[in-house]
Amino acid sequence: MLYPTAQAWRDAPHRKVLIFGMSGLGKTHLSGLLRGSGDWFHYSIDYRIGTRYLGELIADNAKAEAMKVPFLRDLLLSDSIYIGSNITFENLSPVATWLGKPGDPAKGGLPMADYAKRQEAFRQAEIAALEDTAHFAARAQDLYGYDHFICDTGGSICEWVDPEDPNDPLLTKLSKECLLVWIKGDEAHTQELIRRFDRAPKPMAYQPEFLAEAWARYLKENNMVEGDVDPDAFIRWTYAQALSHRQPRYEAMSNWGVTITPDDIGALRMQQDFVDLIANRLPS
């Protein structure tokens, strides 16, 4: 690990961490707390995806919808209005909206072929954004003068790596740059995430093999064809399975770093609390 002992972590003039885990367990909250101290640079993977790698596709999707409205179409064609996404660390809705959901077009669904293409574009974008971590860590220090750096990853990082492979290219690169920190939720956290998702289902990225198997099984079990599928019903049905699919992958990734919990994050009040928390997870 980048910091082999608690003392090495405490003595480091430049602390760099990468946090990962299920969406909704506190990654962005923790990043915001550290950013608010004024000493930490917050690198958001999802923000980078939405502004750098998928920004044009997101804007074009919004323009395509606007072109269906005669009033807006005329204004767009005459360059009288501008359409763009307003992505922030706390509001990543433009990315999720572009990613979409498969199923009945009348209910806002996408054909599976188009949905799969967007999934692949997102996969490539997330990997590229993760590979930019070293660049932004250096940029934060050299350009802006930040002493410390936190990489706030998306929930799907575990889908694009093989944590059982000690030579996994992406994990090897990231672990050389940052201390990997898993935010591990328990069963109660998982059930709360499922309840929260059921109230407001949101698009998410899936490993291609998992998505193909889930889609085929859903159609078979419900005796449906593609156009019959309620998009929200499908992603609700898939969500708990996706969490179960990811849990052992996160668990294996934890061997590359240290583990904390959402309750640990909830108890933090200042950056020194975080420094102490990580030190307590490292060998003495």
Side-chain angles (χ1 to χ4, degrees):
M1 289 187 289
L2 187 61
Y3 310 100
T5 66
Q7 197 59 50
W9 162 258
R10 290 188 182 278
D11 292 344
H14 305 292
R15 301 186 187 98
K16 297 182 289 183
V17 298
L18 179 149
I19 50 176
F20 67 93
M22 296 178 187
S23 296
L25 292 183
K27 296 191 298 294
T28 300
H29 172 75
L30 172 59
S31 299
L33 185 150
L34 295 177
R35 183 178 73 243
S37 72
D39 296 327
W40 289 75
F41 184 91
H42 175 192
Y43 175 51
S44 166
I45 293 297
D46 284 339
Y47 182 84
R48 178 67 168 167
I49 290 170
T51 55
R52 169 64 176 85
Y53 291 106
L54 295 180
E56 187 173 323
L57 290 173
I58 290 169
D60 283 353
N61 185 55
K63 291 174 185 176
E65 292 300 315
M67 287 290 282
K68 298 175 184 178
V69 181
F71 174 76
L72 296 177
R73 174 186 172 88
D74 291 342
L75 291 173
L76 276 173
L77 291 176
S78 63
D79 290 328
S80 299
I81 60 172
Y82 169 79
I83 292 180
S85 62
N86 188 26
I87 295 175
T88 67
F89 291 153
E90 289 76 26
N91 178 22
L92 298 162
S93 295
V95 179
T97 300
W98 171 81
L99 195 55
K101 310 166 190 177
D104 184 356
K107 296 181 179 179
L110 292 167
M112 177 48 76
D114 293 344
Y115 181 69
K117 288 179 182 178
R118 294 192 185 194
Q119 287 278 321
E120 175 59 19
F122 185 91
R123 183 189 72 83
Q124 293 181 22
E126 183 162 24
I127 291 171
L130 287 164
E131 290 181 336
D132 287 342
T133 299
H135 166 72
F136 273 90
R139 188 170 181 250
Q141 182 182 340
D142 298 340
L143 182 60
Y144 298 115
Y146 283 95
D147 288 330
H148 312 301
F149 175 87
I150 182 165
C151 177
D152 172 10
T153 69
S156 50
I157 181 176
C158 65
E159 304 285 22
W160 325 131
V161 298
D162 179 1
E164 304 286 358
D165 179 2
N167 298 310
D168 180 82
L170 186 53
L171 285 176
T172 298
K173 184 179 296 186
L174 293 172
S175 63
K176 287 180 178 178
E177 191 62 37
C178 298
L179 174 67
L180 272 58
V181 179
W182 178 31
I183 302 176
K184 179 182 180 180
D186 57 21
E187 183 59 26
H189 291 120
T190 299
Q191 292 305 313
E192 175 56 29
L193 292 178
I194 292 171
R195 285 192 293 270
R196 196 184 306 169
F197 189 88
D198 191 59
R199 290 194 300 269
K202 297 178 181 179
M204 62 185 292
Y206 305 99
Q207 189 183 70
E209 297 80 5
F210 171 85
L211 175 62
E213 190 277 332
W215 182 248
R217 186 153 49 91
Y218 187 84
L219 294 180
K220 182 178 180 180
E221 290 181 6
N222 292 279
N223 193 27
M224 288 180 171
V225 296
E226 182 175 302
D228 296 333
V229 175
D230 182 308
D232 283 344
F234 172 72
I235 65 170
R236 281 191 178 102
W237 179 84
T238 308
Y239 184 70
Q241 299 172 65
L243 295 189
S244 296
H245 161 77
R246 288 180 176 181
Q247 187 66 15
R249 303 182 70 84
Y250 290 134
E251 193 90 43
M253 284 178 66
S254 71
N255 294 322
W256 291 73
V258 299
T259 300
I260 62 175
T261 69
D263 293 339
D264 290 332
I265 294 174
L268 301 178
R269 295 296 177 265
M270 57 186 68
Q271 64 168 321
Q272 187 58 46
D273 297 337
F274 177 71
V275 173
D276 293 341
L277 172 62
I278 297 302
N280 290 334
R281 298 296 187 272
L282 291 166
S284 58

